[in-house]
Amino acid sequence: MQLPQQIKDELISACTFSASRSGGPGGQNVNKVNTKIELRFNLNDSTIFSDTQKQRLGIKLKNRINSDGIIVLFESSERSQLKNKQNAIAKFLELIEKALTPTKRRVKTKPTLSSKLKRLDKKKQQSMKKQLRRNTRDM
């Protein structure tokens, strides 16, 4: 489900960001600059989503929601705070879109006649192979 730009803007404005020092490569940059981004979005207090959408998000994103109903994401893959923030926003929007997309129900189908015949033919071949082995072993 593709979210409209207006809703995306509302979601981003409802998020809170905080920066901290990130581990990993980067030399002295790691020790001096706060590049790790933490994105927080309060799902319970949000007016953007309906109750059914909140419920669906709660179920689909249960591993990313804490006990207070806040979605928490961390991003520290880049050495730049701005790039990490952009990546965190992109990841957040993608998670929301995926969670709100309804799953397609599987339509039951019956096996075709040709697939049934192929299965029976393979069974006959397998049976013949085993039968030939049995006969050579008895000698």
Side-chain angles (χ1 to χ4, degrees), residues 61-111:
L61 302 177
K62 65 183 175 190
N63 295 338
R64 298 195 181 263
I65 297 176
N66 63 16
S67 58
D68 301 328
I70 297 173
I71 298 173
V72 182
L73 292 174
F74 296 99
E75 186 64 42
S76 62
S77 59
E78 302 290 333
R79 288 180 60 180
S80 160
Q81 189 183 91
L82 180 63
K83 286 181 183 176
N84 281 333
K85 186 174 181 180
Q86 290 169 347
N87 289 349
I89 290 170
K91 188 192 295 185
F92 172 68
L93 293 175
E94 184 180 333
L95 278 173
I96 296 292
E97 286 178 357
K98 267 189 182 175
L100 290 178
T101 302
T103 54
K104 289 184 179 177
R105 296 193 67 197
R106 183 183 176 275
V107 178
K108 290 184 180 179
T109 58
K110 291 186 177 182

Side-chain angles (χ1 to χ4, degrees), residues 40-54:
R40 291 179 167 269
F41 177 76
N42 194 334
L43 185 61
N44 294 339
D45 294 346
S46 173
T47 57
I48 299 168
F49 300 115
S50 66
D51 289 336
T52 55
Q53 288 176 326
K54 285 182 186 179

Side-chain angles (χ1 to χ4, degrees), residues 7-51:
I7 292 177
K8 287 182 181 180
D9 294 339
E10 287 180 38
L11 284 171
I12 293 169
S13 64
C15 292
T16 56
F17 299 93
S18 60
S20 60
R21 294 204 175 121
S22 175
Q28 285 301 307
N29 189 53
V30 172
N31 301 329
K32 295 177 180 177
V33 184
N34 295 331
T35 56
K36 181 179 179 181
I37 294 292
E38 178 182 326
L39 180 145
R40 291 179 167 269
F41 177 76
N42 194 334
L43 185 61
N44 294 339
D45 294 346
S46 173
T47 57
I48 299 168
F49 300 115
S50 66
D51 289 336

